[in-house]
Amino acid sequence: MNLELRQLRYFVAVAEELHFGKAALRLHMTQPPLSQTIQGLEELLGAPLFARSRRAVELTPAGQALLPEARRILAASAALPALVRRAAGGEAGRLSLAFVSSADYSVLPPFLRSYRAAFPQVRIALQEATSDVQIDELLHGRIDAGLLIPPLPDKARLELDYLKVLTEPLIAALPAGLAGTGGDAPVSLAELAPLPLIIFPRPIAPALHDAILACFRAAGVTPEIGQEAIQMQTIVSLVSAGMGMALVPQSVSNLMRPGVEYRALRDAAPQVETGLAWRRDAVSPVLQGFLDLLRKNTDADPPDA
């Protein structure tokens, strides 16, 4: 079937006017080619669309069924140029974004609010994943971008670009009532030495794992690793259960759990970085719009969680 939009436009005009002559005037054409086009459409569809008499033109049941569908198709076709322009300008489409769990308590919510306000017609597919998983997904082109904790492996640097988004200190997440002094006073790692350490496995987050252990070494403390967990929520839950303590990025203090206290460190606290990675050869206008907005927000003051 070779159905043309022109045929549907002619059909809708006749159906709304119920008069071939008036429809021809509306379409700025003569009546004979209009009648021929309608006859050709009826032959193509295999059913009469109009009941014709000398006095009146009426829609047949087949014509009545076709009319709303013809209007819908014509409206959709009329919207195509604007849709294509929006997609070409990054204003419509789909963005797949992965993020480490700590970003959910810092940069992710405000950036998503800003992006949704600027690009309301872009569909965002979110996926929580550890940094190593994100890098693999990026290298295989399964996601557009990822909020992760650097550094990127040497092989990944050949194919991925990276933008620093946030730098924040580590703080202590402690079981409530076991923090020594009361209130919000900073604590030292020496005070916390008896508590088992809950930490990310090194293969999952090597930079964060090493920064945490280096912090203890600098304080002259050798921690006992009690548990390993790959999600920030799980680590905080284990602290809440009294299984030990953890060093977490400062923004994780926005994750409130009963039985958990967050304290700054009196020791020198290492800084933890979060950034966005994406494929260097990515050409998606949607991704480019996201990057432009992220750069603009990153150049300004860091967003509040």
Side-chain angles (χ1 to χ4, degrees):
M1 181 180 293
N2 188 20
L3 183 64
E4 299 177 7
L5 293 177
R6 174 182 61 88
Q7 294 171 303
L8 293 180
R9 284 197 298 270
Y10 289 5
F11 163 74
V12 169
V14 176
E16 292 178 347
E17 299 291 344
L18 292 179
H19 192 285
F20 277 83
K22 292 180 179 179
L25 288 173
R26 171 174 157 182
L27 294 167
H28 306 289
M29 63 188 300
T30 59
Q31 184 172 333
L34 174 59
S35 298
Q36 292 172 4
T37 299
I38 295 300
Q39 290 173 1
L41 179 61
E42 291 174 324
E43 292 174 2
L44 183 66
L45 297 178
L49 302 174
F50 297 99
R52 304 164 178 85
S53 69
R54 287 189 174 184
R55 293 186 176 182
V57 175
E58 296 181 353
L59 282 167
T60 64
Q64 292 173 355
L66 176 61
L67 182 56
E69 293 303 312
R71 285 170 171 159
R72 180 185 61 80
I73 292 171
L74 290 173
S77 68
L80 286 177
L83 174 63
V84 171
R85 287 193 296 270
R86 289 196 302 271
E91 299 175 10
R94 180 179 183 273
L95 176 72
S96 56
L97 176 67
F99 60 95
V100 290
S101 56
S102 57
D104 198 19
Y105 309 105
S106 56
V107 297
L108 184 63
F111 283 151
L112 287 181
R113 285 195 296 270
S114 298
Y115 186 71
R116 175 61 69 191
F119 301 97
Q121 296 186 358
V122 173
R123 293 177 290 110
I124 304 174
L126 294 173
Q127 171 188 338
E128 184 176 341
T130 54
S131 297
D132 59 325
V133 171
Q134 289 189 46
I135 290 170
D136 185 67
E137 294 283 281
L138 286 166
L139 292 175
H140 287 87
R142 291 191 284 261
I143 59 174
D144 295 315
L147 279 166
L148 48 77
I149 297 174
L152 302 179
D154 291 340
K155 178 182 177 181
R157 292 179 187 176
L158 300 176
E159 300 184 45
L160 303 182
D161 279 334
Y162 175 81
L163 173 67
K164 181 174 73 173
V165 174
L166 174 69
T167 302
E168 56 185 332
L170 289 175
I171 62 172
L174 308 170
L178 297 180
T181 59
D184 297 325
V187 293
S188 69
L189 293 177
E191 296 176 60
L192 305 177
L195 295 174
L197 176 64
I198 304 168
I199 193 172
F200 284 94
R202 192 177 189 281
I204 298 296
L208 183 56
H209 182 99
D210 292 348
I212 291 171
L213 294 186
C215 189
F216 278 93
R217 284 196 300 270
V221 176
T222 301
E224 173 196 350
I225 297 179
Q227 298 284 337
E228 291 186 339
I230 66 173
Q231 298 294 339
M232 196 64 69
Q233 300 95 317
T234 304
I235 288 176
V236 174
S237 293
L238 292 172
V239 173
S240 174
M243 301 292 291
M245 58 84 63
L247 296 186
V248 298
Q250 186 177 45
S251 58
V252 176
S253 61
N254 292 307
L255 173 56
M256 304 304 297
R257 285 281 169 82
V260 178
E261 294 181 5
Y262 296 100
R263 299 289 188 87
L265 297 175
R266 284 205 294 269
D267 308 85
Q271 300 290 308
V272 177
E273 183 176 312
T274 302
L276 188 83
W278 66 95
R279 288 192 61 87
R280 187 166 297 141
D281 58 4
V283 295
S284 164
V286 169
L287 175 60
Q288 190 58 54
F290 182 81
L291 292 174
D292 290 345
L293 185 65
L294 186 62
R295 289 188 180 103
K296 178 180 177 181
N297 288 346
T298 302
D299 289 341
D301 293 333
D304 294 329

